[in-house]
């Protein structure tokens, strides 16, 4: 299946007690679908997956699947550095009825490329769902090399990769060496247009919480051959995208949603809310879009 161009890595709304806010989650889903999201990735980095228990993740999957009601694809983040735990969570997500699975590279353990191949292969074997690999070496401490991704793409249900390495050469090599139905998404908002230009399918985005429609217009301009207009749009959005990463994700995007859209609560420890100076920098950039 094709997931679309703009997949939003959705935040997990919390209430004042720090628990998942189910009603606000439903409101956020409706807002994102209306504002440019072709699909939703839940319980990923932006969803604060390291602080969610297995029970919380499964309940979140259920709430999102039920409320989305097939309007857009729902991709569940079930990866970890524990292969068996990832298998169990993937089975649970499959039973709930999500449309796809995202598997982050196993962090901290520092496995070899062969170890990563066997890790992903084992998890893929327990579900019929399409799988998106997730390469983010800045967080995991390991790189899924292009050759490993290419080898994994030959497994029947491994259908895509979220490349958050920022390496356009690696992306180009993967695109050139995999079948046409294998999809590549950049995981860096600032690389959206450059990645699309070399053949990527789109972006799994944080900034799309606020800029979904603008990012979709930019991609449409490029696809329609209006390259200069797409470039100008990209240039205008870059500083705003950058403001979403002034502090560890999802601290900035949660603040921005609280300020401009709806109350999604704070981040869980060990993350901390933005400092006042950081808030000023975020609003200074976003005011250009949100108040226009």
């Amino acid at each position: 299946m094709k997931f679309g161009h703009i997949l939003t890595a959705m935040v997990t709304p919390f209430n004042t007690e720090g628990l998942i806010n189910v009603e606000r989650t439903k409101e956020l889903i409706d807002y994102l679908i209306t504002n440019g999201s072709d699909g939703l990735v839940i319980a990923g980095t932006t969803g604060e997956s390291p602080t969610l228990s297995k029970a919380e993740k499964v309940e979140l999957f259920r709430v999102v699947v039920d409320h989305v009601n097939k309007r857009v694809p729902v991709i569940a983040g079930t990866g970890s550095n524990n292969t068996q735990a990832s298998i169990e969570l993937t089975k649970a997500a499959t039973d709930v009825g999500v449309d796809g699975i995202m598997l982050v590279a196993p962090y901290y353990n520092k496995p070899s490329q062969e170890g990563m191949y066997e890790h992903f292969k084992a998890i893929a074997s327990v579900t019929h769902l399409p799988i998106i690999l997730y390469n983010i070496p800045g967080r995991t401490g390991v790189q899924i090399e292009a050759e490993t991704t290419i080898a994994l793409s030959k497994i029947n249900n491994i259908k895509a990769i979220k490349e958050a390495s920022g390496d356009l050469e690696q992306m180009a090599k993967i695109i050139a060496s995999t079948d046409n139905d294998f999809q590549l998404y950049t995981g860096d908002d600032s690389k959206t247009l450059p990645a699309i230009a070399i053949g990527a399918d789109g972006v799994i985005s944080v900034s799309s919480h606020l800029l979904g429609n603008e990012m979709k217009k930019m991609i449409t301009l490029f696809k329609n051959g209006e390259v200069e207009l797409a470039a100008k749009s990209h240039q205008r959005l870059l500083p705003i995208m950058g403001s979403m990463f002034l502090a560890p994700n999802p601290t900035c995007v949660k603040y921005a949603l609280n300020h401009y859209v709806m109350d999604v609560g704070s981040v869980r420890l060990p993350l901390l809310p933005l400092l006042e100076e950081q808030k000023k920098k975020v609003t200074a950039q976003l005011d250009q879009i949100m108040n226009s």
Side-chain angles (χ1 to χ4, degrees):
M1 69 182 293
K2 291 288 184 182
F3 295 116
H5 296 308
I6 304 285
L7 306 184
T8 296
M10 195 177 83
V11 303
T12 302
F14 297 130
N15 61 23
T16 53
E17 284 77 43
L19 303 175
I20 295 175
N21 187 329
V22 171
E23 290 309 310
R24 196 51 48 82
T25 298
K26 294 176 182 178
E27 291 175 30
L28 180 60
I29 288 166
D30 293 337
Y31 163 79
L32 291 173
I33 292 174
T34 303
N35 287 276
S37 295
D38 297 317
L40 302 175
V41 177
I42 52 176
T45 305
T46 313
E48 297 179 74
S49 59
T51 73
L52 298 175
S53 68
K54 179 185 176 183
E56 285 180 315
K57 288 177 183 177
V58 174
E59 181 57 25
L60 182 63
F61 299 159
R62 184 175 292 108
V63 167
V64 176
V65 166
D66 288 348
H67 192 71
V68 168
N69 195 24
K70 298 298 180 183
R71 286 178 286 169
V72 297
V74 175
I75 295 98
T78 63
S80 73
N81 61 345
N82 181 327
T83 306
Q84 188 56 43
S86 297
I87 285 171
E88 292 170 7
L89 186 56
T90 299
K91 287 179 178 177
T94 303
D95 291 343
V96 164
V98 302
D99 301 292
I101 298 295
M102 188 173 74
L103 300 176
V104 70
Y107 43 85
Y108 191 78
N109 313 37
K110 292 198 171 181
S112 65
Q113 294 299 305
E114 184 179 356
M116 280 192 277
Y117 178 90
E118 293 297 334
H119 168 84
F120 291 125
K121 179 183 176 183
I123 302 167
S125 72
V126 303
T127 183
H128 66 281
L129 294 173
I131 287 172
I132 302 175
L133 307 174
Y134 181 12
N135 185 35
I136 183 164
R139 281 184 179 264
T140 62
V142 290
Q143 170 94 277
I144 307 175
E145 300 291 349
E147 291 78 9
T148 304
T149 298
I150 294 161
L152 284 163
S153 75
K154 301 183 189 309
I155 295 173
N156 208 31
N157 59 331
I158 296 183
K159 294 294 188 182
I161 185 165
K162 175 182 178 182
E163 258 295 337
S165 65
D167 187 340
L168 288 169
E169 288 187 21
Q170 171 146 314
M171 294 182 210
K173 185 173 184 179
I174 292 167
I175 293 165
S177 304
T178 52
D179 292 342
N180 289 336
D181 65 347
F182 187 81
Q183 300 168 79
L184 185 142
Y185 292 88
T186 179
D188 298 295
D189 289 333
S190 63
K191 296 289 193 303
T192 300
L193 190 59
I196 292 281
I198 63 168
D201 291 85
V203 60
I204 298 179
S205 173
V206 175
S207 302
S208 57
H209 283 90
L210 289 305
L211 305 176
N213 286 329
E214 289 76 12
M215 293 172 73
K216 182 167 276 189
K217 288 175 189 173
M218 177 181 70
I219 292 172
T220 301
L221 285 169
F222 182 84
K223 295 283 186 181
N224 289 342
E226 299 183 77
V227 176
E228 288 187 14
L229 288 176
K232 287 179 180 178
S233 176
H234 175 70
Q235 292 160 15
R236 186 170 68 99
L237 295 179
L238 269 178
I240 304 166
M241 292 172 172
S243 72
M244 291 296 94
F245 301 96
L246 293 173
N249 186 44
T251 312
C252 294
V253 72
K254 274 198 158 180
Y255 165 74
L257 284 167
N258 290 338
H259 189 74
Y260 293 102
V261 182
M262 67 181 72
D263 181 5
V264 295
S266 189
V267 289
R268 281 180 171 176
L269 285 171
L271 296 182
L272 293 173
L274 294 187
L275 301 171
E276 287 304 315
E277 191 59 34
Q278 292 170 318
K279 291 178 182 179
K280 290 176 184 176
K281 290 179 181 178
V282 172
T283 53
Q285 292 296 337
L286 280 167
D287 277 347
Q288 301 173 48
I289 291 285
M290 306 306 291
N291 296 332
S292 62

